[in-house]
Structure formats: C-alpha cells, structure tokens
Amino acid sequence: QSALTQPASVSGSPGQSITISCTGTSSDVGDYNYVSWYQQHPGKAPKLMIYDVSNRPSGVSNRFSGSKSGNTASLTISGLQAEDEADYYCSSYTSISTWVFGGGTKLTVL
Amino acid sequence: QLQLQESGPGLVKPSETLSLACSVSGGSISSSSYYWGWIRQPPGKGLEWIGSKYYSGSTYYNPSLKSRVTISVDTSKNLFSLKLSSVTAADTAVYYCARHQKQWLGDAFDIWGQGTMVTVSS
C-alpha cells in the first residue's frame, strides 16, 4: 500500500490560517470517512487532533478542523500560534482492512 | 487515565528478531472498544503502521511487513507485544504502541506510548 500524499512543508504567520492536504485514492480516503490527523512535536509521540474526517477529541482546540472532498482530506488550522509548529500526519483506513499514514507535513510558524 | 509504555532491547543484530512489549496501565486491554497497535518511525522519516490486534482475535498487518510480523496480546499481564523477524538496518526506527479505537468509536490511534528507539546493527 502506498503512503497518502501530503505536502512536505507549509508555513504561515501567527494569526493566519493554513490548510494541509492529504491525497489518497478511491480505496482509502475516497471511500471511507475514517481519516485522522496527528500532530507531532520533535522528540515526542504523535497526538490525535482529528478523527473520522472532522471530529475533534476532547481537549483539542477548535482552531483545528478537518474536511474531505473526493480522494483528498484537509486539515485547517486557524489563528496560527507558535505552539502549532510541528509535523502533521494524516491516516486513513483502506479497503483491504489496513491503515496507511501520509508522509507528513512540517508546519513552520513564521 | 490510560497509559502505554514500550519496553525491549534498544539494539538488535541483523537477521535476528526484534521483540517489544507495551504495558497498559489505567485500563483493561480486554476492552471490546479497542484494537492495540504498533506504529514505527525511522529516523527523520514519517510514520508507518505495522499492525493492530483485538484482544480476543482479529489481527491486521501492514502487507509489506506481514510475513515478518506477529502481534500478540497477554490479558493476564495487560500487555501486548510485537515480534519482527529477520531484521535489517531498514527496521531501525522509533517504535510506538498505541490504543486503536474501533470505528464505531471513531477510527483513530487515540493514545500513544512515548516510543522506544530500536537500532539494528552488528
């Protein structure tokens, strides 16, 4: 199975909004609403930010939101803050009952 | 709250078997709501799902690793384990264990261990 496709890097200034895309196929992202997003700071374990495309776990800021259109899911972070600088990974369930991650996106807050 | 902690050797020789355990505290591994999963991350690279297992049966593996991987659950010790055979330098990575929510709860890896670095070298 191939990794989902994410941009290697995105950047934004404090207060701005950014969107990270996650492109899969009709056998994963396009066919299931089981896309999740993870934030990972250097040297730390990933943290769940979004599940089932657009749901936030308890305790996650409402500045984080998710959506999906066709084979592409997106994570939007509004009101960027310095602490949002991290790596972000998407993940999806697939048609062969496996799970696949994206390659990761490094977010830089300018 | 539930916590996960990986343990095992930090150095494994090529061709040998990598063995890790993940201890679950603050909750039962026998819950009907979760799988228990392993994910790895080579140095400087992205996350790779290895596999997930329900305590009483269903097991799912990454097809690229399936021939070398075994995940097991020990309910008496409240832990689950990973074995990866015939390792090479390409298996050098930080290995994470994670609780994997079933889809009716919201399909996601919601709680992660801190990770353990495993280096494959002679």
Side-chain angles (χ1 to χ4, degrees):
Chain A
Q1 58 188 24
S2 300
L4 306 175
T5 300
Q6 298 182 233
S9 63
V10 298
S11 63
S13 299
Q16 289 185 331
S17 295
I18 64 95
T19 296
I20 300 171
S21 61
C22 169
T23 301
T25 69
S26 57
S27 296
D28 39 62
V29 175
D31 206 25
Y32 302 97
N33 289 325
Y34 298 134
V35 176
S36 51
W37 289 90
Y38 303 86
Q39 176 191 66
Q40 186 180 35
H41 287 110
K44 301 294 188 183
K47 174 188 176 183
L48 176 64
M49 305 303 285
I50 296 286
Y51 66 93
D52 290 357
V53 175
S54 61
N55 293 302
R56 276 189 310 276
S58 174
V60 172
S61 171
N62 60 9
R63 296 186 300 104
F64 292 83
S65 61
S67 62
K68 190 185 85 166
S69 177
N71 295 340
T72 299
S74 299
L75 173 71
T76 297
I77 308 174
S78 59
L80 265 183
Q81 298 180 0
E83 68 213 47
D84 299 332
E85 185 162 295
D87 294 327
Y88 291 84
Y89 294 90
C90 61
S91 176
S92 176
Y93 177 70
T94 82
S95 61
I96 56 171
S97 297
T98 63
W99 285 264
V100 62
F101 283 95
T105 298
K106 181 177 179 60
L107 168 62
T108 301
V109 180
L110 301 170
Chain B
Q1 75 243 26
L2 191 117
Q3 293 185 315
L4 306 176
Q5 178 67 59
E6 304 91 348
S7 61
L11 181 64
V12 181
K13 289 182 168 57
S15 80
E16 295 190 344
T17 296
L18 178 161
S19 295
L20 296 175
C22 181
S23 296
V24 179
S25 59
S28 174
I29 203 170
S30 303
S31 169
S32 62
S33 303
Y34 306 101
Y35 302 109
W36 303 95
W38 288 95
I39 298 102
R40 70 180 182 179
Q41 184 172 35
K45 296 188 178 181
L47 301 171
E48 179 180 33
W49 173 73
I50 298 171
S52 297
K53 183 174 177 65
Y54 184 56
Y55 82 95
S56 66
S58 306
T59 310
Y60 305 92
Y61 294 130
N62 186 324
S64 68
L65 299 170
K66 187 173 184 176
S67 63
R68 301 193 291 131
V69 173
T70 302
I71 297 176
S72 58
V73 172
D74 187 333
T75 55
S76 67
K77 296 181 179 178
N78 219 40
L79 62 79
F80 60 108
S81 302
L82 169 71
K83 290 189 186 300
L84 181 66
S85 64
S86 305
V87 297
T88 69
D91 295 310
T92 294
V94 174
Y95 285 77
Y96 294 101
C97 60
R99 189 176 75 171
H100 185 174
Q101 291 184 159
K102 285 193 167 184
Q103 289 163 357
W104 63 271
L105 266 184
D107 187 297
F109 302 94
D110 67 326
I111 298 176
W112 296 63
Q114 66 183 28
T116 187
M117 181 68 200
V118 178
T119 300
V120 178
S121 175
S122 55

